[in-house]
Amino acid sequence: MNFTVIAHAVEVDHGIKRLSMRFIKKYAAPERQRLSVELCDEISRELDKLGLITLPRRLPTSENEFVFVIEKSSTLGQTVTIASTLAALDKLGQSPLPRLFDNYPDARGHLHT
């Protein structure tokens, strides 16, 4: 997997880039016929090593879907990380803000890892 192109694209676009899963697969595993959950998890780990996160946090397996790739150290990246942590705590029933996702129901699905 070579994600240098993706890392540079994110850097050039000031810490965020919208990419198709088809484009990401091209650099992750061009020989693969389709994306699997396991491959998407591996892609997420590799992007994490480069200091990048995605939104949605769990990558879709459809090549027709688009995701945002975000520089983890950016203000937006830090905000997504905090929100993802809150979503994980909420899923465990331990949210410090118990009704937060009542007002933002669509956000929960994009932040779960």
Side-chain angles (χ1 to χ4, degrees), residues 24-78:
I24 292 172
K25 181 181 154 287
K26 174 181 169 182
Y27 291 98
E31 71 287 349
R32 297 273 301 255
Q33 289 295 321
R34 40 191 300 257
L35 290 164
S36 65
V37 173
E38 294 79 18
L39 178 59
C40 287
D41 289 344
E42 187 178 344
I43 291 169
S44 291
R45 286 190 298 277
E46 291 299 317
L47 290 173
D48 186 59
K49 289 178 187 176
L50 293 172
L52 301 171
I53 57 176
T54 61
L55 190 62
R57 297 290 288 137
R58 177 171 285 143
L59 291 173
T61 55
S62 168
E63 291 184 34
N64 297 323
E65 296 288 326
F66 283 82
V67 299
F68 289 97
V69 180
I70 306 164
E71 196 172 78
K72 197 186 312 187
S73 63
S74 70
T75 303
L76 180 59
Q78 292 176 29

